[in-house]
Amino acid sequence: MPSPSLTPQDHAFVDRLLAQMTLDEKIGQMTQPEKNSVRPGDVARLALGSVLSGGGGNPEPNTPASWRAMVSAFQDEALTSRLNIPLIYGVDAVHGHNNVVGATIFPHNIGLGATRDAELVRRIGRATALEVAATDVRWSFAPAVSIPQDLRWGRSYEGYSQDPAVVSALATALVEGFKGEGWRSPTSILPSVKHYLADAATTWGTSRRVDRTALNTDRTLATAQMGQSTVELLDLGAWQIDQGDTEIDEATLRAVHLPPYRAAIEAGALNVMASYSSWQGLKMHAHRYLLTDVLKGELGFEGFVVSDWEGIDQIHPGDYGRCVVDAVNAGIDMVMVPFDYERFITCLRGAVQAGEVSETRIDDAVRRILGAKVALGLFEQPHTDPALLSLVGGADHRELAREAVAKSLVLLRNEGGVLPLDPSGPAVLVAGPDADDLGAQCGGWTISWMGGRGPTTTGTTILAGLRAAAGAERVHFRPDGHADQTYPVGVVVLAEDPYAEGMGDREHLGLSDVQLALLARVRARCERMVVVLLSGRPLVITDQLPAWDALVAAWLPGTEGQGVADVLFGRRPFTGQLSFDWPRSQASLRRGGDEAPLFRMGDGLSEKAPLLVG
Ligand code: GLC
């Protein structure tokens, strides 16, 4: 099934260029280092195919303009290489151009799944593409098409839903948004459909990413800058399930986890990222059957497969040469080698010269990479229009994000119709430090890899949104919940600590003692209490729920917190619907058990609930 993104002329152009390339130039195209590792001149000298910014791989100062200056400089250098092959710069723009201070940050995928609104997600994809392209970047490692099976997984919020049909529809919409008027348009960005395959179906306890006895926190994990120590995080469950082993049978693998890839490829996606996880004990990065026979053969995928960050290193720990051989032979076309890129180049060159990797395989990989660059028009227009910078974090995109926030909120309890609140009614108490914390409402993958609390970027906190809606005099903020009067209504905002990837794996999903004490204080001073949860996944709140008059799942809404106020004060209706079952207890955090969920996928009290997809 030919990809709709490549024409016969494109293929002919690629073949002509390939015929001129040396082995080293071909291997250079297969190499993707992180921008902090690249030595001046190496992009041109080695004909590097790509450079990336990892989570938090930001220029200093972190502004849209300095991002553009950095990326454009890499591209300018690439164009001086012998064959003037443009590079393609990659970032994790997974909920807006989220590394960039001042960019619009949209709700994470779990919130977008609750909107069921493919048209909205397409518009978000378009807005994201414009902000990414403004910085001369033409590739985002999104959408994740993960279908989380166990909410203890720290990447649950990167999944749209537990329902493959919802994931397929929204992922396709994002790809279409990234594409815009066409891949050749200089405001399109290459999507990376990830992480292939079944990254979200691993079994708790099977991750080998961190050796608990050796505490091998390597240089990658050292960049995580989490608030707690590694030991504390490991004791909470960090790195127990992320990057682990998926033990499901092939029928389930195909029925549940493959459809979103088929859908995204049919929409024209030309990149797939391999998963760190394994399937039945074999690392996906070395899985020839799934990477080559199924993805490239059966699904007809004509794009290229990129490894994850040091993903090939996990195939045979300690034997990098074998990692390179097995990964490339399995079907990895470009290797994300953030640090030691020359070691990779040397190993692959040696493998080809030793006949362990064929030139045919190398040519196939490079043909796929060059094809994607041709499809994006990078040879004709290696730079985007700097005028796009005026769109980054602009009013239109923030208004779109505000709409998305409002549509993502799910009302799960509303005793006595306490919501919506009356913006001209009596004063309300707002409690919880996270009510006024932009970093808490954005979550992971925001400015830094893990994200973090505080004014990490620009936007509107929930508190600021509430005050704008009802007037500051009607919104009394007591972060610790100690109120010197009673109130008819109290609103408590509770957030998970920001996290990403396996750092967010948690054995237990409940509220902290500090949060429970805050709730008790507010409960004692307010006739009615509304709880707003900022979380990357459903939390176990069954025992606490009866004392709450209302519960709003707000997920990780991003920078436009006024979208929460819009719904709490009735400016917009509640329309969100759960895209995951909500577990009743810690015993049912993994799907498939006997215990009935507290709430089911599709639940959500609302004035109108247009079930648009899934
Ligand atoms: C990370 C993630 C992947 C991301 C990549 C680049 O480890 O697994 O989702 O795109 O590295 O930051």
Side-chain angles (χ1 to χ4, degrees):
M1 171 187 61
S3 156
S5 313
L6 288 174
T7 67
Q9 294 75 13
D10 293 334
H11 288 295
F13 173 87
V14 166
D15 288 341
R16 286 195 302 275
L17 179 55
L18 196 63
Q20 302 170 58
M21 295 172 74
T22 65
L23 174 61
D24 275 3
E25 287 166 335
K26 293 175 183 176
I27 292 173
Q29 287 298 303
M30 298 171 68
T31 309
Q32 181 189 52
E34 209 274 343
K35 66 104 179 168
N36 288 317
S37 308
V38 180
R39 287 176 291 277
D42 276 2
V43 165
R45 177 173 70 90
L46 300 170
L48 296 178
S50 176
V51 175
L52 86 143
S53 280
N58 309 330
E60 186 55 45
N62 184 350
T63 65
S66 61
W67 265 90
R68 182 177 180 91
M70 171 183 74
V71 176
S72 298
F74 281 120
Q75 185 66 292
D76 287 340
E77 186 182 324
L79 295 173
T80 66
S81 61
R82 184 178 78 89
L83 292 170
N84 316 118
I85 299 174
L87 70 73
I88 182 165
Y89 199 96
V91 296
D92 292 278
V94 296
H95 62 142
H97 199 356
N98 41 254
N99 280 323
V100 180
V101 170
T104 309
I105 308 287
F106 295 91
H108 268 297
N109 287 353
I110 191 168
L112 298 181
T115 71
R116 297 293 200 290
D117 188 338
E119 174 53 22
L120 171 73
V121 173
R122 194 196 56 73
R123 287 187 285 140
I124 289 170
R126 187 82 302 261
T128 300
L130 288 168
E131 298 201 16
V132 169
T135 59
D136 221 9
V137 176
R138 295 292 304 280
W139 182 8
S140 171
F141 308 125
V145 293
S146 316
I147 303 179
Q149 303 298 309
D150 189 325
L151 296 170
R152 292 174 289 184
W153 188 44
R155 308 195 73 161
S156 294
Y157 63 79
E158 297 185 63
Y160 290 108
S161 176
Q162 69 187 38
D163 181 341
V166 174
V167 176
S168 296
L170 298 186
T172 297
L174 194 84
V175 168
E176 289 168 351
F178 278 13
K179 179 180 179 181
E181 308 84 72
W183 294 120
R184 267 172 177 68
S185 137
T187 64
S188 75
I189 60 174
L190 181 71
S192 201
V193 195
K194 72 182 188 182
H195 309 79
Y196 185 88
L197 181 59
D199 56 339
T202 53
T203 302
W204 181 266
T206 62
S207 176
R208 296 292 170 266
R209 177 65 179 85
V210 175
D211 177 341
R212 318 185 98 60
T213 50
L215 278 184
N216 57 325
T217 50
D218 53 29
R219 53 193 161 181
T220 292
L221 297 184
T223 65
Q225 299 155 358
M226 290 288 283
Q228 298 119 301
S229 75
T230 301
V231 171
E232 282 174 310
L233 287 162
L234 292 172
D235 288 348
L236 291 172
W239 301 106
Q240 279 287 348
I241 187 171
D242 187 32
Q243 307 185 10
D245 189 28
T246 296
E247 300 171 320
I248 57 179
D249 62 26
E250 182 160 357
T252 306
L253 188 80
R254 285 176 169 273
V256 175
H257 302 279
L258 202 55
Y261 289 91
R262 192 185 299 276
I265 290 166
E266 284 168 6
L270 284 173
N271 180 257
V272 164
M273 184 182 292
S275 176
Y276 286 116
S277 56
S278 306
W279 179 49
Q280 296 181 353
L282 177 57
K283 278 285 179 185
M284 279 308 306
H285 278 72
H287 216 294
R288 181 190 175 86
Y289 170 63
L290 290 176
L291 287 172
T292 297
D293 301 346
V294 174
L295 179 64
K296 297 177 179 177
E298 199 178 311
L299 270 59
F301 178 58
E302 278 195 327
F304 69 99
V305 176
V306 66
S307 81
D308 205 334
W309 179 289
E310 295 185 301
I312 73 168
D313 303 40
Q314 296 181 10
I315 301 170
H316 306 293
D319 185 344
Y320 190 69
R322 278 182 66 211
C323 293
V324 172
V325 169
D326 287 359
V328 174
N329 283 338
I332 299 284
D333 301 305
M334 180 182 282
V335 173
M336 190 184 292
V337 48
F339 307 111
D340 308 332
Y341 54 95
E342 289 209 76
R343 179 179 65 154
F344 166 70
I345 292 168
T346 302
C347 284
L348 185 50
R349 181 196 302 123
V352 174
Q353 290 164 345
E356 295 171 321
V357 173
S358 71
E359 282 253 24
T360 306
R361 174 75 268 272
I362 298 291
D363 287 351
D364 172 54
V366 178
R367 189 174 281 117
R368 290 170 179 273
I369 294 165
L370 294 177
K373 293 181 175 181
V374 169
L376 260 69
L378 282 170
F379 286 88
E380 291 89 25
Q381 279 194 279
H383 289 293
T384 65
D385 181 354
L388 292 170
L389 281 170
S390 66
L391 300 177
V392 180
D396 290 351
H397 291 174
R398 289 185 187 272
E399 188 54 32
L400 172 60
R402 177 177 184 169
E403 175 192 349
V405 171
K407 290 180 173 179
S408 69
L409 300 191
V410 182
L411 180 61
L412 291 168
R413 183 182 174 89
N414 192 22
E415 294 301 291
V418 61
L419 292 177
L421 304 173
D422 178 356
S424 55
V428 298
L429 172 66
V430 175
D434 295 325
D436 194 32
D437 191 307
L438 208 56
Q441 66 191 52
C442 287
W445 294 106
T446 307
I447 312 305
S448 67
W449 182 26
M450 293 290 138
R453 283 190 167 85
T456 54
T457 184
T458 58
T460 305
T461 65
I462 292 172
L463 176 71
L466 293 170
R467 284 176 164 161
E473 69 285 358
R474 283 195 182 85
V475 178
H476 297 180
F477 181 44
R478 301 287 183 275
D480 58 9
H482 287 296
D484 46 13
Q485 68 176 75
T486 59
Y487 290 86
V489 176
V491 177
V492 186
V493 180
L494 305 173
E496 276 196 292
D497 297 337
Y499 54 79
E501 303 194 38
M503 287 294 187
D505 290 355
R506 290 288 180 278
E507 186 172 10
H508 301 290
L509 297 181
L511 301 176
S512 67
D513 292 343
V514 169
Q515 291 172 325
L516 294 173
L518 171 67
L519 286 163
R521 283 194 293 275
V522 174
R523 181 73 276 178
R525 306 294 282 172
C526 300
E527 289 166 39
R528 306 168 87 182
M529 184 165 77
V530 175
V531 175
V532 177
L533 272 187
L534 296 173
S535 64
R537 50 202 158 186
L539 301 178
V540 176
I541 44 87
T542 307
D543 295 344
Q544 292 79 33
L545 187 60
W548 304 351
D549 296 286
L551 169 59
V552 177
W555 316 113
L556 296 170
T559 51
E560 307 314 306
Q562 67 275 43
V564 177
D566 288 340
V567 182
L568 291 186
F569 277 114
R571 181 172 174 270
R572 291 178 190 262
F574 279 101
T575 57
Q577 298 164 273
L578 289 182
S579 56
F580 291 89
D581 291 336
W582 193 290
R584 182 175 300 276
S585 76
Q586 301 292 351
S588 51
L589 297 178
R590 182 173 190 96
R591 297 194 63 219
D594 299 334
E595 186 177 62
L598 182 64
F599 300 106
R600 291 191 178 284
M601 176 177 160
D603 283 354
L605 303 174
S606 61
E607 290 83 333
K608 63 183 179 67
L611 190 54
L612 302 171
V613 291

